[in-house]
C-alpha cells in the first residue's frame, strides 16, 4: 500500500497552500501514516526475513520521501501564510472545541463522550472512529482541528475547556479565564 501511494504521487506531493495541504492530509495523506504503522505492527510480530529486507525500503520511502516532502511543504506554507495569524480559513481551531462541539450538544440535553488523547495520530483516530461506528450504537464523529501553538500538552488540554481567554506565560503556566489550569482539580473546576 505504501508503494501504491508513492506511485500515486510519483511526481511528488504538490506544494500548495496550507488549507489545501491540511485538507489533502485529512482526505488522503493520512493513509501513508496508517500504512507505515501497520507495517511496523507486522514487523514487530514477525521474524520474517522479507520484512527485515523491506524495512529499509519502507523507512526510506516514509522518512525521506513522504515525511520529507510533507513536512517541508507544511513548514513553507506555515512560514508564508500563518506567521502572524495561526489560522486556516475554513478550518476550526482547537481552542473552539468546547464552544463548537460540546456546548451545543449539552444545551440540547445530549450525552457527550469525548475521547482526548495527547498526540493521537489522525490516522489512528480515523481507524478508531470507523471501529466505534461499526461496533457500537450511537455515532462517532471525527473532526480534525488546527492545534494550538505552542503545541504543548498543558496548553492543548486547556484549549479544550470552556473559556473566553487562554494565556500562557513565559514560564509555561497556562491560565483559562485568569484561572490556573494546572492539575486535574483545576481543570474539573473550570
Amino acid at each position: 500500500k505504501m508503494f501504491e501511494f508513492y506511485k500515486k504521487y510519483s511526481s511528488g506531493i504538490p506544494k500548495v497552500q496550507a488549507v489545501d495541504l491540511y485538507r489533502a492530509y485529512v482526505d488522503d495523506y493520512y493513509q501513508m501514516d496508517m500504512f507505515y504503522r501497520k507495517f511496523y505492527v507486522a514487523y514487530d510480530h514477525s521474524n520474517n526475513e522479507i520484512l527485515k529486507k523491506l524495512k529499509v525500503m519502507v523507512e526510506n520511502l516514509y522518512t525521506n520521501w513522504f515525511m520529507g516532502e510533507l513536512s517541508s511543504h507544511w513548514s513553507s506554507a506555515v512560514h508564508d501564510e500563518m506567521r502572524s495569524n495561526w489560522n486556516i480559513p475554513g478550518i476550526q481551531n482547537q481552542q473552539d472545541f468546547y464552544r463548537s462541539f460540546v456546548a451545543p450538544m449539552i444545551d440540547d440535553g445530549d450525552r457527550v463522550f469525548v475521547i482526548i488523547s495527547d498526540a493521537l495520530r489522525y490516522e489512528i483516530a480515523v481507524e478508531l472512529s470507523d471501529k466505534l461506528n461499526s461496533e457500537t450504537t450511537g455515532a462517532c464523529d471525527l473532526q480534525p482541528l488546527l492545534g494550538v501553538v505552542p503545541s504543548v500538552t498543558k496548553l492543548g488540554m486547556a484549549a479544550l475547556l470552556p473559556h473566553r481567554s487562554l494565556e500562557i506565560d513565559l514560564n509555561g503556566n497556562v491560565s483559562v479565564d485568569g484561572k490556573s489550569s494546572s492539575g486535574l482539580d483545576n481543570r474539573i473546576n473550570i
Side-chain angles (χ1 to χ4, degrees):
K1 293 290 184 183
M2 290 178 78
F3 287 97
E4 287 175 13
F5 185 94
Y6 175 71
K7 197 174 188 181
K8 180 177 175 181
Y9 294 100
S10 60
S11 60
I13 292 175
K15 188 173 182 177
V16 294
Q17 291 186 318
V19 65
D20 298 321
L21 198 53
Y22 183 96
R23 288 199 172 117
Y25 185 85
V26 167
D27 293 340
D28 190 29
Y29 297 170
Y30 78 89
Q31 293 180 84
M32 189 62 148
D33 287 329
M34 181 177 59
F35 301 148
Y36 181 75
R37 174 178 53 89
K38 290 189 176 207
F39 170 80
Y40 269 97
V41 167
Y43 180 84
D44 289 344
H45 290 94
S46 173
N47 280 331
N48 189 321
E49 282 301 313
I50 293 173
L51 289 183
K52 287 179 182 177
K53 291 177 183 175
L54 189 57
K55 179 184 173 193
V56 173
M57 294 168 57
V58 164
E59 274 304 315
N60 183 49
L61 184 62
Y62 183 78
T63 305
N64 296 335
W65 175 73
F66 179 68
M67 290 305 296
E69 286 198 19
L70 190 60
S71 63
S72 173
H73 295 345
W74 178 250
S75 293
S76 179
V78 165
H79 180 269
D80 294 346
E81 302 170 44
M82 301 169 67
R83 264 191 303 182
S84 62
N85 185 8
W86 188 250
N87 187 5
I88 297 178
I91 305 298
Q92 286 199 292
N93 289 354
Q94 181 177 353
Q95 60 266 28
D96 298 329
F97 169 76
Y98 187 87
R99 181 176 34 259
S100 297
F101 297 101
V102 178
M105 293 173 145
I106 290 173
D107 292 346
D108 286 345
D110 293 336
R111 289 180 8 154
V112 179
F113 297 88
V114 178
I115 298 171
I116 299 172
S117 176
D118 187 28
L120 178 68
R121 288 167 51 129
Y122 179 75
E123 55 91 7
I124 293 174
V126 169
E127 191 171 317
L128 177 59
S129 177
D130 290 346
K131 192 168 186 75
L132 288 171
N133 281 326
S134 68
E135 296 180 7
T136 62
T137 55
C140 179
D141 182 38
L142 181 62
Q143 177 67 44
L145 305 172
L146 183 62
V148 294
V149 174
S151 180
V152 293
T153 300
K154 56 187 162 185
L155 182 59
M157 287 189 298
L160 300 174
L161 298 170
H163 67 275
R164 283 183 286 295
S165 68
L166 287 175
E167 293 180 20
I168 185 167
D169 67 20
L170 295 175
N171 295 320
N173 299 312
V174 177
S175 62
V176 175
D177 296 334
K179 299 174 187 167
S180 172
S181 64
S182 178
L184 182 59
D185 289 337
N186 285 337
R187 288 190 298 279
I188 288 171
N189 287 334
I190 294 168

